[in-house]
Amino acid sequence: MREICRRLSHGSFVGIVMVGAMTLVVTLAHAAWSFEGERMSPVQGREGMVVTSHFLATRSAQEILKKGGNAIDAAVTAAFSLAVSQPRSGNIGGGGFMLISSEQRDEVVAIDYREKAPAKATVDMFLDKEGGADSRLSRYSHLAAGVPGTVAGLAFALEKYGTISLKEAMTPAIQLADKGFEVTPLFSDELKENEAILKKWQSSSKIFYKPDGGFYEPGELFIQKDLAATLRRISEGGVKEFYEGKTAELLVAEVAGHGGLITMEDMKNYSPARREPVHGKYRGYDIYSMSPPSSGGVHVVQLLNILEGYPIAEYGHNSARTIHLMAEAMKRAYADRSLYLGDEDFVKVPVQGLISKFYAAIIRESIDKDRATPGSTIAPGRPQPIEGNETTHFSVVDAFGNAVSNTYTINFSYGSGIVVEGAGFLLNNEMDDFSAKPGVPNGYGLIGGEANKIEPDKRMLSSMSPTIVKYQGKNFLVTGSPGGSAIITTTLQVIMNVIDHGLNIQSAVAAPRIHHQWLPDELRIEEGISLDTIKILRGKGHEVKQQEAMGASQSIMIKDGMMYGGADPRRSTALAAGL
Ligand code: DON
C-alpha cells in the first residue's frame, strides 16, 4: 500500500519543501507563481484563466481563449493536450467528471464520463482460488480496465456547451504527439520510477523507453507517432471512431489477446451521462460538486456541513483544534462512504440524507472536542432516507461567465501500465476502484461493500470531486484535485482555506494539508505542520503520520471581476495563465 501511495504521489514530492519547491516551480513551471510582498501571489487575468498540471496544456487552452473560445472549448483542448504531455494521468483511455457552470443560464451541470465495467464482468472476477482478492489482477492486468469514457465525455461537453469543433480542440494535442515535446525532469523521473510496470509489456516499453531500453532524459524530444495517428483518426471520425472504428478494434484486440473482457459491444454501448451535481451551502456560499458514481461531492458537502458548526476561522488555519475537528469529521464521512456510496444507476444512495444539515448536527454530537474517537469504534451512521444520490484536475474560466472544473484519470500513475498496441495510449486500471471483496481495501486503502460490488455495465465508485463554489449567483471558486482517497479532503481544505481562513488562491492550494479516511486509523499530514501542533494532536489521541504530498489542486478564484489562478506547487510542471 505504501509503495502504491509513494508511486501515486510522486511528482507531488518536491513541492512540499516550501522554499525548495518555490525555486523549482519558478524554474520549471515558467513562473507559475511568485512571491509578492510576504504572501504568495496568484496569477491574475480579467478575460480568462486556465490552471492545469502541465504548462503545455495550459498554453494550448489559453490560445483557445485568446481566439474567443469559451471555457468549455479551452477545457476540452487542455484535456486532449494532457493526454499527450502527461500520459501518467492525462488520457483518452480513462474517464472522469466535468462540472460546468454558466452564470448566464444560472445552471451548473455535471458530466459523468466515468469508465464502466464490461458486460462480462462478474462479482468475483478478482478473487483467487482461496477466495482472496488478487490485487495484481485488478491493477496490472488487462482485466483491470474499465470501458473508457474520456473521448465520449469530452466530445459531449464540446457539442453541448462549446463553440469549436472536435478537430480544433484536438489539433494542439495532435501536434504535440506528432512533433514531440521536450522532456521535463518530472516526466523523466516518473518514467524511471515506473519502469517495472511499464516494461512488462512490449507495447508500453516501446512507447516510453528508447529502443535499447534506455531512459528519456530532460531536454530530449519525446514523440508519440501511434498516439498522434489515433488522435488524428478521432479528430476526423469523431466519437464513433474511438468506440466503433479502428481505435476500438485495436483496444479490443489488445484486451482480448490477454484475457481481458472489453468487447466491441461494450465500446459501442458506452455513453456519458448528464447528472445533477450535489448542491450544498457553506457559510452563505453555494457548493456544487460531483454526484455519484463519485463519492466526492457528497462527502465534500457532508464535511463542510459538519465543520460549519464550529468557529473554524477563530480556531485558525492548521491549528491543532481545527485539524482535530477536520480529522474527526473525515473519519465519520469515510465510514459512511464505505457503506452507502456506489453507482446510483445500480444502488440507491441516500444522497439527500448524507448532505443534510440535520445529519451533520447528529454527527457533530458524536465528536469530542478534546479526544480522538478511535476508528475501530466508528461505524457508518444512519442518514435519513430523504430521497424523492494519478488523476489530474484542471480549472478554466472565461469572460462569458462560464467555469469548468474537470478531474479525469486512468486511476494509478500510468493506469494498468498497458499501452494498446498500435494505438499508443494506456489502458486504465479503474476496475480496482470497485470493491473486489467486501472489507478488502482498494489501492487507496478504501473499504467498500455491497453498494460498490462489481456488476456488468456498472460504474466503479470514485472520489473525484470537481467543484464549483458560487457566491450570490456568481462563480467564485473552481477547484478539485487528484490524490485517490485524499481528493475529497484536499478539495475540502482548499474551500475552507479560502472561505474560513481568507487565504488567496495560491496560498490556499500551497498550504500543507491533512487527511483522515477512517481506516487505517491515522491522521496523515504533509510537511509544514508545526511540531507544537503535532504534539497537541498526539495528546488528543491521534496517530499522526507525516507522509508524501497529497493532491494537486489546480484552482481558480474570481473576485470583483478579477480571475486569480493558483497552480499547486506539488506538481513542478503546473502552470496558471491568465488573459
Ligand atoms: O476515481 C478515483 O477516485 C480514483 N481512481 C482516483 C485516482 C487518483 O486520484 C490517482 N492520483 N493521484
Side-chain angles (χ1 to χ4, degrees):
M1 177 57 207
R2 283 262 158 254
E3 236 348 270
I4 292 165
C5 281
R6 232 190 314 277
R7 207 166 63 67
L8 291 169
S9 56
H10 177 79
S12 345
F13 214 108
V14 276
I16 207 59
V17 186
M18 298 311 280
V19 177
M22 279 161 199
T23 328
L24 207 74
V25 168
V26 170
T27 3
L28 297 179
H30 304 257
W33 48 285
S34 60
F35 272 126
E36 204 172 73
E38 291 188 344
R39 302 185 82 191
M40 289 180 210
S41 159
V43 171
Q44 300 184 20
R46 280 201 183 277
E47 302 293 322
M49 179 66 65
V50 184
V51 193
T52 83
S53 54
H54 203 290
F55 55 89
L56 290 171
T58 297
R59 291 222 185 93
S60 56
Q62 190 190 20
E63 279 307 306
I64 297 287
L65 288 181
K66 270 189 199 157
K67 285 193 232 158
N70 69 14
I72 295 89
D73 300 329
V76 172
T77 304
F80 281 116
S81 297
L82 282 166
V84 179
S85 58
Q86 191 176 283
R88 68 164 195 272
S89 51
N91 68 81
I92 56 171
F97 302 106
M98 182 184 282
L99 243 68
I100 300 175
S101 166
S102 158
E103 286 179 359
Q104 266 172 19
R105 292 194 302 278
D106 192 20
E107 167 189 78
V108 183
V109 297
I111 299 173
D112 164 5
Y113 59 97
R114 180 72 162 166
E115 300 92 326
K116 277 184 168 186
K120 283 196 242 154
T122 55
V123 68
D124 56 359
M125 63 187 276
F126 296 128
L127 300 187
D128 58 25
K129 285 193 196 89
E130 284 76 48
D134 182 344
S135 62
R136 193 197 56 83
L137 279 185
S138 67
R139 295 172 197 173
Y140 303 113
S141 80
H142 290 73
L143 284 173
V147 182
T150 297
V151 173
L154 297 179
F156 177 81
L158 200 59
E159 200 181 301
K160 279 251 176 265
Y161 307 101
T163 68
I164 63 173
S165 66
L166 188 61
K167 200 170 200 159
E168 277 177 272
M170 294 184 76
T171 299
I174 296 171
Q175 293 288 319
L176 280 174
D178 203 31
K179 304 273 175 276
F181 57 88
E182 226 177 76
V183 167
T184 61
L186 176 60
F187 189 90
S188 176
D189 286 351
E190 291 204 316
L191 286 176
K192 285 174 189 161
E193 258 198 36
N194 288 282
E195 189 184 2
I197 63 154
L198 291 166
K199 279 198 176 161
K200 227 166 65 190
W201 311 97
Q202 177 57 24
S203 58
S204 308
S205 189
K206 72 177 184 199
I207 301 290
F208 294 114
Y209 304 93
K210 293 180 175 170
D212 66 354
F215 298 122
Y216 285 97
E217 297 296 343
E220 292 182 343
L221 203 59
F222 186 71
I223 296 173
Q224 299 169 84
K225 288 288 182 196
D226 282 352
L227 182 57
T230 299
L231 293 171
R232 198 170 283 119
R233 276 198 311 275
I234 299 169
S235 81
E236 280 158 12
V239 173
K240 214 171 151 85
E241 158 55 31
F242 186 84
Y243 290 95
E244 295 178 55
K246 183 175 173 189
T247 312
E249 282 164 11
L250 289 168
L251 187 148
V252 169
E254 173 69 41
V255 168
H258 295 85
L261 300 179
I262 302 175
T263 61
M264 287 300 281
E265 207 56 20
D266 287 322
M267 292 295 285
K268 193 174 165 193
N269 287 343
Y270 185 87
S271 61
R274 214 188 109 149
R275 310 239 182 232
E276 272 301 307
V278 174
H279 175 226
K281 284 255 181 201
Y282 183 63
R283 304 196 199 280
Y285 291 80
D286 285 283
I287 315 290
Y288 294 90
S289 192
M290 194 60 217
S291 39
S294 181
S295 58
V298 166
H299 296 304
V300 166
V301 170
Q302 181 188 17
L303 285 164
L304 288 170
N305 283 342
I306 300 169
L307 292 162
E308 196 178 40
Y310 304 104
I312 294 290
E314 185 192 313
Y315 290 173
H317 178 246
N318 278 349
S319 67
R321 263 213 285 200
T322 299
I323 293 178
H324 169 73
L325 292 170
M326 287 198 297
E328 291 303 299
M330 288 170 186
K331 284 182 206 173
R332 287 152 175 88
Y334 278 78
D336 283 349
R337 183 188 189 281
S338 74
L339 182 65
Y340 295 112
L341 272 290
D343 181 351
E344 271 208 299
D345 291 346
F346 288 74
V347 289
K348 190 113 197 84
V349 182
V351 175
Q352 295 310 318
L354 287 164
I355 65 169
S356 81
K357 299 277 183 199
F358 176 72
Y359 182 50
I362 293 174
I363 291 181
R364 264 195 310 273
E365 274 172 27
S366 74
I367 294 177
D368 184 327
K369 280 187 180 169
D370 300 313
R371 290 296 305 167
T373 313
S376 55
T377 66
I378 293 175
R382 295 172 67 101
Q384 295 295 306
I386 318 169
E387 295 299 322
N389 146 9
E390 200 320 334
T391 310
T392 185
H393 177 83
F394 58 82
S395 304
V396 185
V397 298
D398 63 23
F400 318 113
N402 298 305
V404 177
S405 181
N406 189 91
T407 317
Y408 76 155
T409 188
I410 42 177
N411 198 17
F412 290 4
S413 275
Y414 305 99
S416 60
I418 304 167
V419 165
V420 174
E421 175 62 48
F425 66 89
L426 283 158
L427 287 175
N428 67 79
N429 60 347
E430 223 73 67
M431 292 293 285
D432 190 63
D433 273 353
F434 276 120
S435 174
K437 187 181 174 184
V440 173
N442 72 358
Y444 304 96
L446 291 167
I447 314 278
E450 192 65 18
N452 190 32
K453 71 178 181 199
I454 306 174
E455 294 181 71
D457 296 321
K458 188 179 181 183
R459 289 172 153 103
M460 53 297 278
L461 182 61
S462 173
S463 300
M464 291 189 279
S465 319
T467 299
I468 295 175
V469 178
K470 292 175 78 171
Y471 187 62
Q472 295 180 341
K474 295 272 185 203
N475 295 329
F476 170 69
L477 184 62
V478 189
T479 189
S481 181
S485 55
I487 291 175
I488 298 169
T489 51
T490 295
T491 307
L492 170 83
Q493 286 167 85
V494 174
I495 297 170
M496 291 177 71
N497 286 349
V498 170
I499 295 180
D500 290 289
H501 304 299
L503 300 190
N504 74 36
I505 194 64
Q506 188 58 71
S507 307
V509 301
R513 294 194 268 260
I514 64 118
H515 172 72
H516 204 304
Q517 60 184 51
W518 173 43
L519 299 173
D521 192 0
E522 60 189 30
L523 174 54
R524 297 180 193 164
I525 58 163
E526 294 182 326
E527 275 185 22
I529 304 286
S530 80
L531 283 179
D532 291 3
T533 305
I534 294 172
K535 213 167 149 189
I536 297 171
L537 287 166
R538 289 202 169 120
K540 287 179 187 289
H542 292 281
E543 181 72 35
V544 182
K545 286 222 169 108
Q546 190 171 297
Q547 68 154 60
E548 295 92 338
M550 293 180 275
S553 180
Q554 317 305 342
S555 305
I556 297 173
M557 186 178 132
I558 308 167
K559 210 170 169 204
D560 303 327
M562 188 64 91
M563 299 154 183
Y564 299 91
D568 196 321
R570 292 167 185 78
R571 291 289 181 273
S572 59
T573 52
L575 177 68
L579 244 63

